[in-house]
Amino acid sequence: MDPTLNGEVMFFLQTVKEQLTEHFQGLFLYCKENVGHLIWNLLVIFFIFSAAKAVLRWISFLTSRTMERSHQKLEEFQSRRVDSLMTLTRSAARYLIYFIALLLVLARFGGDTVQKLLLAVGSIGGIAFGFGAQNLVKDVVTGLFIIFENQFSVGDYIQTEEATGTVEAIAVRVTYLRSAKGDQIIVPNGSIGRVINYTRGSYIAAIIVSTAYEADTRQVMEAMEQILARYAEEHQELIEEPPVIRGIDTFGESTVDISIACRVKPMKQWEVERGMRLAIKEGFDSRGIEFPYPRMVTIPWGEQAAQPPEVPADRSGWQPAATLPEEDGGDQNDADGGGLPDDDD
């Protein structure tokens, strides 16, 4: 190794060692001289974050109490709107309180430090906003419009382009859904474009019943009316208006499809649809009415099969050869003189 290079490396390492030693000694002396201030700052920081959590718990208590009172005094539609506003308040308060707590913690290290840090964060934040803040702003603005326009509320069962489920909470940036399987789905508000709200409006349970062409359609419809009237009487807690048989919906290849509709209680349409299908199946079975199913007709080939038609004789006198088994067909043809006539004839 070159002695000159070796000396430069050793000089570099020695310089780094001396500088690190100086800094560690300075840090040790600072901690030794200001240990009381450090402990006090740590206690203050602990108090700031504890106070922030206490304020958040207080806000959560107030919002929960407001939602409980709204459920008792207001109608269901209005109480759901209150739930949506309260969940949005919780989300906004969480961001605001933790931001204030962070500023108070930074203030413990001196005003100049806070100003420099804010300037650095502002510079980095400007670059970040240039690349990714568009989606963030879109999420926040869309969330605000969802609340103000009351597109859906907490407790509504909705379907978006990405997910389907019950709305658990609406935050500033995201919406929390709970699927039928129990999975929690977090959807950014900016990605919500088209929403189907199954909770609002008319609640209609509609099914299609396929019947056979061979059955008497009028008698089948009368039987369905009796079956569904009995079902509606037994399930009055689910049904608002009795089921109505609309009539023949379509003519299928092998089925006559009959449409049925029923006005039901909120969010009970799927349960009523399943119940009406089961009631019709049991009613048809007890009355001997068959449901259509694919059938296959087979024709046996043997002695009962139709014989090929006779071919009339040609004007030239040519007769078709008789159909014989393959093993002796050629010899028999020659013996009977079948085939084309000779030139002499």
Side-chain angles (χ1 to χ4, degrees):
M1 185 174 182
D2 188 0
T4 304
L5 180 61
N6 188 15
E8 291 179 356
V9 172
M10 295 300 297
F11 176 76
F12 172 76
L13 294 177
Q14 185 67 23
T15 304
V16 172
K17 180 180 178 182
E18 293 176 357
Q19 292 176 353
L20 290 176
T21 303
E22 182 181 356
H23 284 292
F24 277 117
Q25 289 177 353
L27 179 62
F28 178 74
L29 292 175
Y30 176 80
C31 293
K32 184 179 179 180
E33 296 174 357
N34 300 278
V35 61
H37 296 291
L38 293 175
I39 295 175
W40 174 253
N41 288 333
L42 291 176
L43 292 175
V44 172
I45 292 172
F46 176 77
F47 174 77
I48 290 173
F49 282 108
S50 299
K53 289 185 178 180
V55 172
L56 287 177
R57 290 179 181 175
W58 179 70
I59 293 175
S60 178
F61 171 76
L62 290 181
T63 53
S64 300
R65 188 175 180 181
T66 303
M67 288 188 289
E68 292 178 358
R69 290 181 177 179
S70 65
H71 292 167
Q72 297 175 357
K73 298 180 179 180
L74 301 178
E75 297 181 356
E76 183 178 1
F77 178 77
Q78 296 177 342
S79 64
R80 286 180 176 177
R81 182 168 176 80
V82 173
D83 293 346
S84 302
L85 293 175
M86 292 301 102
T87 54
L88 181 63
T89 302
R90 288 180 185 176
S91 177
R94 186 182 300 112
Y95 288 107
L96 179 62
I97 291 173
Y98 278 123
F99 179 73
I100 295 175
L102 180 61
L103 292 180
L104 293 176
V105 170
L106 294 176
R108 301 304 306 172
F109 297 95
D112 295 338
T113 305
V114 176
Q115 292 177 1
K116 294 178 181 179
L117 184 59
L118 289 177
L119 289 174
V121 171
S123 301
I124 298 174
I127 299 175
F129 270 101
F131 287 100
Q134 182 178 0
N135 292 332
L136 177 62
V137 174
K138 182 179 180 182
D139 293 339
V140 174
V141 173
T142 305
L144 295 176
F145 276 107
I146 289 174
I147 296 298
F148 293 146
E149 295 178 358
N150 196 22
Q151 298 177 8
F152 53 84
S153 304
V154 175
D156 290 355
Y157 188 81
I158 66 172
Q159 176 182 348
T160 66
E161 291 87 347
E162 298 182 355
T164 301
T166 304
V167 180
E168 284 192 334
I170 303 175
V172 176
R173 195 182 66 84
V174 296
T175 296
Y176 297 89
L177 302 179
R178 182 72 64 178
S179 67
K181 296 181 180 179
D183 303 327
Q184 187 183 57
I185 306 172
I186 302 175
V187 182
N189 293 330
S191 65
I192 300 176
R194 179 174 176 268
V195 179
I196 301 176
N197 196 331
Y198 294 99
T199 307
R200 300 179 185 177
S202 300
Y203 308 95
I204 303 296
I207 61 174
I208 299 294
V209 179
S210 299
T211 61
Y213 276 102
E214 295 82 4
D216 189 332
T217 303
R218 291 188 178 275
Q219 293 183 0
V220 171
M221 294 173 65
E222 292 177 358
M224 292 170 60
E225 288 180 353
Q226 298 174 3
I227 295 170
L228 295 176
R230 181 178 178 182
Y231 173 80
E233 184 178 357
E234 295 175 353
H235 299 83
Q236 296 181 2
E237 72 281 2
L238 302 176
I239 297 176
E240 291 186 351
E241 297 181 3
V244 176
I245 299 178
R246 295 175 175 175
I248 298 176
D249 189 71
T250 56
F251 290 107
E253 295 183 357
S254 59
T255 61
V256 178
D257 298 332
I258 300 175
S259 175
I260 302 172
C262 177
R263 189 178 297 277
V264 300
K265 301 288 185 180
M267 299 299 296
K268 298 297 182 182
Q269 54 266 38
W270 299 289
E271 182 178 355
V272 174
E273 288 175 359
R274 292 190 292 267
M276 290 193 298
R277 292 190 185 100
L278 178 60
I280 290 175
K281 176 64 170 61
E282 294 176 347
F284 279 14
D285 292 342
S286 62
R287 290 170 171 78
I289 302 175
E290 294 185 356
F291 286 93
Y293 57 90
R295 293 181 173 86
M296 181 180 295
V297 179
T298 58
I299 301 176
W301 183 263
E303 297 180 356
Q304 300 178 357
Q307 297 295 330
E310 296 183 359
V311 181
D314 191 70
R315 293 183 179 180
S316 61
W318 173 79
Q319 294 289 338
T323 303
L324 296 176
E326 292 182 359
E327 56 270 11
D328 57 351
D331 299 340
Q332 188 67 27
N333 253 344
D334 295 340
D336 295 342
L340 293 175
D342 296 336
D343 294 338
D344 297 340
D345 299 337

